[in-house]
Structure formats: structure tokens, C-alpha cells
Amino acid sequence: MKKLILSLAAAAAILPAQVLAARLQDPQQLMAMDLNACGRPVYPAAALAQGAGGKTTVEVLIGELGRANDVRVYTSSGREDLDKAALDAVRNCHFHGVQATGQAPTGWLKTQFVWIPGGAQKTQAQDAALLAGTRKRAEAGDPVAQNTLGAWYQHGTHVEADPAQAAAWYLLAAQAGNAFAQNNLGVLYYRGLGVPYDQKQAVYWYAKAAEQGHGWAQANLAWAYQYGTAGELDMDKALSWLTRSAEGGLAEAQMRLGLLGMQRAVSDEERTAAVAWIARAAAQGDASGLVHLGRSFELGLGNVQDDVQAAALYRKALGRSEGRAELALGKLLVSGRVVPADAEEASRLFQKAMQGRLPEAYHQYGLILEQNGDLDLARAIFLLGAKMGHCDAAVKYVEMQPNQETSAGDIDAAFALRAQWCRTRPAAPPQL
């Protein structure tokens, strides 16, 4: 198993152009360059203040799409915050150079982060050297370097953000046939960043990259056909491109294909086939896939009803789904269908879900507060949920008013009318 070294205070040296050319098809060397091109991990404030350093060795499993399918600590630095920062850095890195060779490595590879307090000045100098070397290769016509430089200008990495410069570098790489740059340029046209807003140009470049098998470009092209953003509405083409992207392993495409299938399904067989795509996304650790797959087990849609399996999937997505996994698991716990870890687990989950601004989380947490006798806080929580448009929270807020004759003025009158409508609204059918 090969080992990569990435130091916070001593990044890998810039390869001369002739050496780069000789090693162009070596995924191991390109992986080291990819790591250097990604954003550096943020030195945890507590560790920096305490002068703590060390070495974290991380194992990474790179998938066919150039993403880190899984990461884990191989050797700890001795501090949890340093290890977590290292994991986050690798997890968020996209290995463009590796994928460009078509030889994505299989198996677990190692990389080491060396944490040295006070090494910022040296790191800045090496970042400047990295930028200079990448720019030199880009100016010499290397499309991988051109795309990398474009990404840096787009996101403000190592340089001041400049969408126009990003578009210029993407264009050079795209014209040379680089699929990553073609898709990136399409995104800029779609958003009108650095180039005029032009949906047709966006679709043109998406199609160029999609034909080369770029998963995101295929998904973007599918979106354009699904919603007619380039003037052509064609659901058959949308499903065809989305399927190609999903079959290529893009979790987001698998999710979209699965959810589309569930919306269109009219039989158990069709629901089972749709959920199978969601399961493939979940198998990659995709948080949305885990939540929706858990929901399918909870409801018995596309899977045999299984609360324990649903809870297990929700737990895997905790902290990664903007509160949706916390909300779903919390509701299972308060229903009594799954045994909580302790008496306060559901309350903690709903509070975390509230951080994701999920209106139902406010309603559920308010119910717990009401049950515990904390009526003033419960009423305040219900009010927050009601203001976010949650019907049941509005009903509870109105019911808990000490004087229902608009004691708080017009706001209560407005919620009283909404609560009246909410009480008579038809129940929505269960869905993923």
C-alpha cells in the first residue's frame, strides 16, 4: 500500500514540466498533486492556542468518480480535533487529476498530515510556489493545470476569486477536451458567473463532457432536459442521461433517479426498483440516500417495513443531513417503535434538527417541552414553528394561549385563522 505525505508546513515539491509529463499516467503522483490542490485543513483553534501538533495518518478509499468514498484514521495524532480536521480535508477533496487518467486506484491509500504550530508563514510561501508551478503548466498548455487554475479562481483558492479568469482558464482546458473543465464552464454559463448567462452554452458544454462520461455533466444535462432550461423539454432524454450518470456511480444522480421513480411508480415492483437506486447512493455513504432509504423501511415503501433498520440508517446520517436524520430518528423514538439510547435522546435530536431550520423539529421539541411541563418555552417554540409555516405548530400555539381572544394582538389573530385552516386540511399521503 503506497503512502502519500502532505505536510501542513512542508507541502510536496512542484514537479518540473518534464517530470510531470513522464508521470502523467501515474495516479499516485497525480493524487499527491490533487491533495496539494485541495483546500488545506483548518488548524483547530484550540490546538493552535495550546501549541499542540502531531501527525495524523489517514486512509482514503477513492472511487471511480475521483471522490473519497470513505476515509478513516490509520494513526491518530493523539488529538481528536486534529484528526477530524484531517479527515474533513481528505473527505472534501475531489481527485480530478487521478480521474483524468482513467486509472483511479483501488483499495485504501494513506496520506499523512503533519501539524506544526507556527508553520503558517512557510505554508504561505509553499502555496505561492504551488500557484506559480500550476500557472506555468497551465500557460504551457496542460489542460489539467488549466482546469485547476480555473477552479482556484472560481473559489478563491490561493488567489483572489475572479469568475472571469476562471471562465478563461476553463475555456482553454475545455477546448482541449478536458471533461472537468467542460462541465465547470457549463456551470458558469448556467449561473452567469464570469460569462454571460446563457443556458444554451451551458448545455453545449455539459453535452461535451457528458459524452466523455463525466457524471456531473450527465446529471446536469439530464436536469436541462427535465426542465427545458435550454429550450427543449424531453423527459426521455432526461432519464437516459440521468441513468447513465447513476450507473457511473454518482450518488446525487442515483438519488434523483430513485426519487423520480418513486414519484412515477404505480406498483410495488416499480417502487422496489426505484428504492434500489436510493440504496446504491446510501451504500456510498450519501446522507440523503441513507435518510430516504431509512424512510422507505419506516414506511414499508419499496422495502419490507422495518423500524430497526430505518433507525440504523438514520443514525448513519446523523450530523450530515441538515437535521433530517435527527428529525426522522427522533420521531421514531418518541413513537415508541424504537428504543432510545437514553431518556433525553429524542430531545437532543430535535434540538439538533432545529439548527437545520426544519419546522417539524420545532413542533416535536415543543411537544416534549409541553409534556415536561415547561409551557412557556413550549409556547415560544411552537410560535417559531408556526412562523415557519408549520400547521401543527400553529395549532398548538393557538391552543396554548392564555387568552385566545387575540391576547397578543394581530399576530394571534393571524395564527388563529391559520390554525383553523390547519385543523380542516386533508392529510397528506406518506412519501419518501
Side-chain angles (χ1 to χ4, degrees), residues 65 87 194 269 308 357 420:
L65 294 177
L87 289 174
E269 290 77 10
V308 174
R357 304 293 293 170
Q420 184 178 358

Side-chain angles (χ1 to χ4, degrees), residues 365-405:
Y365 185 51
L367 291 176
I368 290 180
L369 292 170
E370 182 184 21
Q371 184 179 6
N372 292 342
D374 196 343
L375 302 185
D376 289 339
L377 184 54
R379 189 182 304 114
I381 294 297
F382 286 138
L383 176 58
L384 291 174
K387 287 181 176 180
M388 297 170 71
H390 194 275
C391 258
D392 292 331
V395 170
K396 291 298 298 183
Y397 173 71
V398 171
E399 289 177 349
M400 293 183 70
Q401 288 307 301
N403 178 357
Q404 295 191 24
E405 295 180 1

Side-chain angles (χ1 to χ4, degrees), residues 31-236:
M31 185 179 182
M33 291 177 62
D34 283 328
L35 282 167
N36 275 319
C38 291
R40 296 189 184 280
V42 177
Y43 212 120
L48 198 56
Q50 297 165 9
K55 297 179 181 179
T56 302
T57 303
V58 174
E59 286 189 311
V60 55
L61 186 65
I62 298 179
E64 293 181 358
L65 294 177
R67 289 186 172 183
N69 281 355
D70 200 2
V71 295
R72 62 193 183 194
V73 174
Y74 180 77
T75 304
S76 173
S77 65
R79 285 186 63 107
E80 184 178 353
D81 54 355
L82 294 178
D83 293 345
K84 182 180 183 302
L87 289 174
D88 289 343
V90 175
R91 186 180 288 115
N92 293 325
C93 189
H94 195 160
F95 298 92
H96 293 281
V98 172
Q99 188 180 358
T101 68
Q103 303 177 37
T106 58
W108 291 89
L109 298 172
K110 293 179 183 176
T111 180
Q112 187 176 82
F113 292 80
V114 180
W115 303 92
I116 302 176
Q121 185 175 0
K122 185 181 292 186
T123 298
Q124 290 173 0
Q126 289 165 346
D127 283 348
L130 176 62
L131 173 61
T134 302
R135 188 183 297 278
K136 183 176 180 180
R137 293 194 300 275
E139 291 172 346
D142 179 356
V144 173
Q146 290 168 343
N147 178 64
T148 298
L149 199 56
W152 288 351
Y153 273 112
Q154 181 180 352
H155 301 292
T157 303
H158 305 310
V159 293
E160 185 175 348
D162 187 335
Q165 281 284 334
W169 286 111
Y170 284 152
L171 178 60
L172 290 174
Q175 290 173 333
N178 184 281
F180 291 99
Q182 290 168 344
N183 178 68
N184 291 339
L185 186 58
V187 170
L188 292 189
Y189 272 112
Y190 185 84
R191 298 176 180 174
L193 293 175
V195 289
Y197 175 78
D198 191 329
Q199 297 281 40
K200 289 186 177 180
Q201 277 293 307
V203 170
Y204 172 81
W205 288 112
Y206 289 156
K208 288 281 190 182
E211 290 290 355
Q212 296 191 65
H214 191 285
W216 268 113
Q218 292 169 338
N220 290 336
L221 191 58
W223 183 274
Y225 281 121
Q226 182 178 348
Y227 294 100
T229 54
E232 183 180 0
L233 184 64
D234 191 323
M235 198 61 193
D236 289 336

